[in-house]
Amino acid sequence: MEQKLKGKVALVTGAGRGIGRAYALRLANLGADVAINDIDLHSWKQFDEKLTADTVVDEVKNLGRRSIGIECNVADKKEVDAMFQKILKELGHIDILINNAGGLQVRPETSYASTVPEDDLRREMDRNLMSCIFCCQAASIPMKAQKSGRIVNISSQAGLKGAPDGFYSSYGVAKAGIIAYTRYLAGELAHFGINVNCIAPAFIGTARLMQRSFSAEPGRYEALLKTIPLGRVGTPEDCAKVIEFLVTDLSDYIVGQCISVCGGVILF
Ligand code: NAD
């Protein structure tokens, strides 16, 4: 792979497993040094994901790049600010931020828009939206000073359209907020040479998704495939390729966009 990002420093949040891990490895393969954040750097063990080393930090180092692991909660502003201090101190600068930490942690039956409990609502906002905003704010200080940077926020199809059964409203609202926040931030930071964009994945077949959502219920996976025009769930690499596009010169003139990585799900 061409070393397009040689000399760049990236941070991927929530990169202890899953799609975030794929982002981190792709950036490292493109030549970047990569800071790995996760609330639990061994989170891959929860779903028995196959790593080639003890943590993604070690995997990045094994690719010949510098890497540090920062185990902290990105929904906590103080912890986020301390994380950026550590990155600047140990890796020198920050050029690329991928705001990947987040996900869905509410029960479907209590997630309707008209009744979602306040605690669930606030937790989803904190995990998905506030964490993204805190990291963008912290990254924008050094990026503005150096007059360059790339930020990619991770939304979801849930932020672009509702669910027919009405489930997971708080997640959808938080992910929609990420798209709106991306546009505002993009307009503000473009003057500083910083491109801010966002992607909205649909069904991406991580170890977690396949084990939690599909292994228990026969036929559910096959039913899902019928709703995807491309006829397959996405892979973490499908998302990572779009990240490559958004953090390299291929997308120099693109700001404030949300790219669906969804196999056509958004069409219906
Ligand atoms: P995942 O749950 O498998 O991995 C998320 C990682 O983030 C975990 O390692 C977790 O420990 C970490 N994390 C969660 N909250 C954190 C916090 N507050 N601070 C630090 N780390 C935290 O999720 P995934 O499937 O790999 O998805 C990654 C991102 O993509 C999420 O934002 C998710 O909403 C989004 N997304 C995923 C899918 C999908 O189908 N998998 C679809 C649409 C959007």
Side-chain angles (χ1 to χ4, degrees), residues 112-152:
Y112 290 110
S114 64
T115 53
V116 55
E118 181 179 348
D119 282 355
D120 287 1
L121 188 55
R122 289 191 186 280
R123 202 176 46 246
E124 287 301 281
M125 292 293 168
D126 283 346
R127 263 162 49 83
N128 290 285
L129 178 59
M130 300 308 286
S131 60
C132 169
I133 294 174
F134 293 153
C135 288
C136 285
Q137 290 181 336
S140 69
I141 299 166
M143 286 182 179
K144 276 182 184 172
Q146 73 199 17
K147 295 208 169 347
S148 67
R150 297 286 175 128
I151 297 177
V152 186

Coordinates of all heavy atoms in Angstrom, one line a residue, residues 112-152:
Y112 N -38.5 3.6 22.2 CA -39.4 4.4 21.3 C -39.2 5.9 21.6 O -39.0 6.3 22.8 CB -40.8 4.1 21.6 CG -41.2 2.7 21.1 CD1 -41.4 1.6 22.0 CD2 -41.2 2.4 19.8 CE1 -41.7 0.4 21.6 CE2 -41.5 1.1 19.3 CZ -41.8 0.1 20.2 OH -42.1 -1.1 19.8
A113 N -39.4 6.7 20.6 CA -39.2 8.2 20.7 C -40.1 8.8 21.8 O -39.7 9.7 22.5 CB -39.4 8.9 19.4
S114 N -41.3 8.3 21.9 CA -42.2 9.0 22.8 C -42.0 8.6 24.3 O -42.5 9.2 25.2 CB -43.7 8.6 22.4 OG -43.9 7.2 22.5
T115 N -41.2 7.5 24.5 CA -41.1 7.0 25.9 C -39.7 6.7 26.4 O -39.5 6.3 27.5 CB -42.0 5.7 26.0 OG1 -41.5 4.8 25.0 CG2 -43.4 5.9 25.9
V116 N -38.7 6.9 25.5 CA -37.4 6.5 25.9 C -37.0 7.2 27.2 O -37.1 8.4 27.4 CB -36.3 6.8 24.8 CG1 -36.4 8.3 24.3 CG2 -34.9 6.4 25.2
P117 N -36.5 6.4 28.2 CA -36.2 6.9 29.5 C -35.0 7.9 29.4 O -34.1 7.8 28.6 CB -35.8 5.7 30.3 CG -36.3 4.5 29.6 CD -36.3 4.9 28.2
E118 N -35.1 8.9 30.3 CA -34.1 10.0 30.3 C -32.7 9.4 30.4 O -31.8 9.9 29.7 CB -34.4 11.0 31.4 CG -33.4 12.1 31.4 CD -33.7 13.2 32.5 OE1 -34.7 13.1 33.2 OE2 -32.8 14.0 32.7
D119 N -32.5 8.5 31.3 CA -31.1 7.9 31.4 C -30.6 7.3 30.2 O -29.4 7.5 29.8 CB -31.1 6.8 32.5 CG -31.1 7.5 33.9 OD1 -31.1 8.7 34.0 OD2 -31.2 6.7 34.9
D120 N -31.4 6.5 29.5 CA -31.0 5.9 28.2 C -30.7 7.0 27.2 O -29.7 6.9 26.4 CB -32.1 5.0 27.7 CG -32.3 3.7 28.5 OD1 -31.5 3.6 29.5 OD2 -33.1 2.9 28.1
L121 N -31.6 8.0 27.1 CA -31.4 9.1 26.2 C -30.1 9.8 26.4 O -29.2 10.0 25.5 CB -32.5 10.0 26.3 CG -32.7 11.2 25.3 CD1 -32.8 10.7 23.9 CD2 -34.0 11.9 25.7
R122 N -29.8 10.1 27.6 CA -28.6 10.9 27.9 C -27.3 10.0 27.7 O -26.3 10.5 27.2 CB -28.6 11.4 29.4 CG -29.6 12.5 29.6 CD -29.4 13.1 31.0 NE -30.5 14.1 31.2 CZ -30.5 15.4 30.7 NH1 -29.5 15.8 30.0 NH2 -31.5 16.2 31.0
R123 N -27.4 8.7 28.0 CA -26.3 7.8 27.8 C -25.9 7.7 26.3 O -24.8 7.8 25.9 CB -26.6 6.5 28.4 CG -25.3 5.7 28.7 CD -25.5 4.4 29.4 NE -26.6 3.6 28.8 CZ -27.8 3.3 29.4 NH1 -28.0 3.8 30.6 NH2 -28.7 2.6 28.8
E124 N -27.0 7.6 25.5 CA -26.7 7.5 24.0 C -26.1 8.7 23.5 O -25.3 8.7 22.6 CB -28.0 7.1 23.3 CG -28.4 5.7 23.5 CD -27.4 4.6 23.0 OE1 -27.3 4.4 21.8 OE2 -26.7 4.1 23.9
M125 N -26.7 9.9 24.0 CA -26.1 11.2 23.5 C -24.7 11.3 23.9 O -23.8 11.8 23.2 CB -26.9 12.3 24.2 CG -28.3 12.4 23.7 SD -28.3 12.9 21.9 CE -30.0 12.6 21.6
D126 N -24.4 11.0 25.2 CA -23.0 11.1 25.7 C -22.0 10.2 24.9 O -21.0 10.6 24.4 CB -22.9 10.7 27.2 CG -23.4 11.8 28.1 OD1 -23.6 12.9 27.6 OD2 -23.7 11.5 29.3
R127 N -22.4 8.9 24.7 CA -21.5 8.0 24.1 C -21.3 8.3 22.6 O -20.2 8.1 22.1 CB -22.2 6.6 24.1 CG -21.7 5.7 25.2 CD -22.6 4.5 25.5 NE -23.0 3.8 24.2 CZ -22.3 2.9 23.7 NH1 -21.1 2.5 24.2 NH2 -22.7 2.2 22.6
N128 N -22.3 8.8 21.9 CA -22.2 9.0 20.5 C -22.0 10.4 20.1 O -21.1 10.7 19.3 CB -23.5 8.4 19.8 CG -23.6 6.9 19.8 OD1 -22.9 6.2 19.1 ND2 -24.4 6.4 20.7
L129 N -22.8 11.3 20.6 CA -22.7 12.7 20.1 C -21.7 13.6 20.9 O -20.8 14.2 20.4 CB -24.1 13.4 20.1 CG -24.2 14.8 19.7 CD1 -23.7 15.0 18.3 CD2 -25.6 15.3 19.8
M130 N -21.9 13.6 22.3 CA -21.0 14.4 23.1 C -19.5 14.0 22.9 O -18.6 14.9 22.9 CB -21.4 14.4 24.5 CG -22.8 14.9 24.8 SD -23.2 16.5 24.1 CE -22.3 17.6 25.2
S131 N -19.3 12.7 22.9 CA -17.9 12.2 22.7 C -17.3 12.8 21.4 O -16.1 13.2 21.4 CB -17.9 10.7 22.7 OG -18.7 10.2 21.7
C132 N -18.1 12.8 20.4 CA -17.6 13.3 19.1 C -17.3 14.8 19.2 O -16.3 15.2 18.7 CB -18.7 13.0 18.0 SG -18.5 13.8 16.5
I133 N -18.2 15.5 19.8 CA -18.0 17.0 19.9 C -16.8 17.3 20.7 O -15.9 18.1 20.4 CB -19.3 17.6 20.5 CG1 -20.5 17.5 19.5 CG2 -19.0 19.1 20.8 CD1 -21.8 18.0 20.1
F134 N -16.6 16.6 21.9 CA -15.5 16.8 22.7 C -14.1 16.6 22.0 O -13.2 17.4 22.1 CB -15.5 16.0 24.0 CG -16.6 16.3 24.9 CD1 -17.2 15.3 25.8 CD2 -17.2 17.6 25.0 CE1 -18.2 15.6 26.7 CE2 -18.2 17.8 25.9 CZ -18.7 16.8 26.7
C135 N -14.1 15.5 21.2 CA -12.9 15.2 20.5 C -12.6 16.2 19.4 O -11.5 16.6 19.2 CB -12.9 13.8 20.0 SG -12.8 12.5 21.2
C136 N -13.7 16.6 18.7 CA -13.5 17.6 17.6 C -13.0 18.9 18.2 O -12.1 19.5 17.6 CB -14.8 17.8 16.9 SG -15.3 16.5 15.8
Q137 N -13.5 19.3 19.3 CA -13.1 20.6 19.9 C -11.6 20.5 20.4 O -10.9 21.4 20.1 CB -14.0 20.9 21.2 CG -15.4 21.3 20.7 CD -16.3 21.7 21.9 OE1 -16.1 21.2 23.0 NE2 -17.3 22.5 21.6
A138 N -11.3 19.4 21.0 CA -9.9 19.2 21.4 C -8.9 19.2 20.2 O -7.8 19.8 20.3 CB -9.7 18.0 22.3
A139 N -9.3 18.5 19.2 CA -8.4 18.4 18.0 C -8.3 19.7 17.2 O -7.3 20.0 16.6 CB -9.0 17.3 17.1
S140 N -9.4 20.5 17.3 CA -9.4 21.7 16.4 C -8.3 22.7 16.9 O -7.8 23.5 16.2 CB -10.8 22.3 16.4 OG -11.1 22.8 17.6
I141 N -7.9 22.6 18.2 CA -7.0 23.6 18.7 C -5.6 23.4 18.0 O -5.1 24.3 17.3 CB -6.8 23.5 20.3 CG1 -8.2 23.8 20.9 CG2 -5.7 24.4 20.8 CD1 -8.3 23.5 22.4
P142 N -5.0 22.2 18.1 CA -3.7 22.1 17.4 C -3.9 22.1 15.8 O -3.0 22.6 15.1 CB -3.2 20.7 17.8 CG -4.4 20.0 18.4 CD -5.3 21.1 18.9
M143 N -5.0 21.6 15.3 CA -5.2 21.6 13.9 C -5.3 23.1 13.3 O -4.8 23.4 12.3 CB -6.4 20.8 13.5 CG -6.2 19.3 13.6 SD -7.6 18.4 13.1 CE -7.1 16.7 13.3
K144 N -6.0 23.9 14.1 CA -6.1 25.3 13.7 C -4.7 26.0 13.7 O -4.4 26.7 12.7 CB -7.0 26.1 14.6 CG -8.5 26.0 14.4 CD -9.2 26.9 15.4 CE -10.7 26.8 15.3 NZ -11.3 27.5 16.5
A145 N -4.0 25.7 14.7 CA -2.6 26.3 14.8 C -1.7 25.8 13.7 O -1.0 26.7 13.1 CB -2.0 25.9 16.2
Q146 N -1.8 24.6 13.3 CA -1.0 24.1 12.2 C -1.6 24.3 10.8 O -1.0 24.1 9.8 CB -0.6 22.6 12.4 CG -1.7 21.7 12.1 CD -1.5 20.3 12.7 OE1 -0.7 20.1 13.6 NE2 -2.3 19.3 12.3
K147 N -2.8 24.8 10.8 CA -3.6 25.1 9.6 C -3.7 23.9 8.6 O -3.6 24.0 7.4 CB -2.9 26.3 8.8 CG -3.0 27.6 9.6 CD -3.0 28.8 8.7 CE -3.3 30.1 9.3 NZ -3.9 30.2 10.6
S148 N -4.0 22.8 9.2 CA -4.3 21.6 8.4 C -4.8 20.5 9.3 O -4.6 20.5 10.6 CB -3.0 21.0 7.8 OG -2.1 20.5 8.7
G149 N -5.6 19.6 8.7 CA -6.1 18.5 9.5 C -7.3 17.8 8.7 O -7.8 18.4 7.8
R150 N -7.6 16.6 9.1 CA -8.7 15.9 8.6 C -9.5 15.3 9.8 O -8.9 14.6 10.7 CB -8.2 14.7 7.7 CG -7.5 15.1 6.5 CD -8.4 15.7 5.4 NE -7.7 16.2 4.3 CZ -8.0 15.9 3.0 NH1 -8.9 15.1 2.8 NH2 -7.3 16.4 2.0
I151 N -10.8 15.5 9.8 CA -11.6 14.9 10.8 C -12.7 14.1 10.1 O -13.4 14.6 9.2 CB -12.2 16.0 11.7 CG1 -11.1 16.7 12.5 CG2 -13.2 15.4 12.7 CD1 -11.6 17.9 13.4
V152 N -12.9 12.9 10.6 CA -14.1 12.1 10.0 C -14.9 11.6 11.2 O -14.4 10.9 12.1 CB -13.6 10.9 9.2 CG1 -14.8 10.2 8.6 CG2 -12.6 11.3 8.1

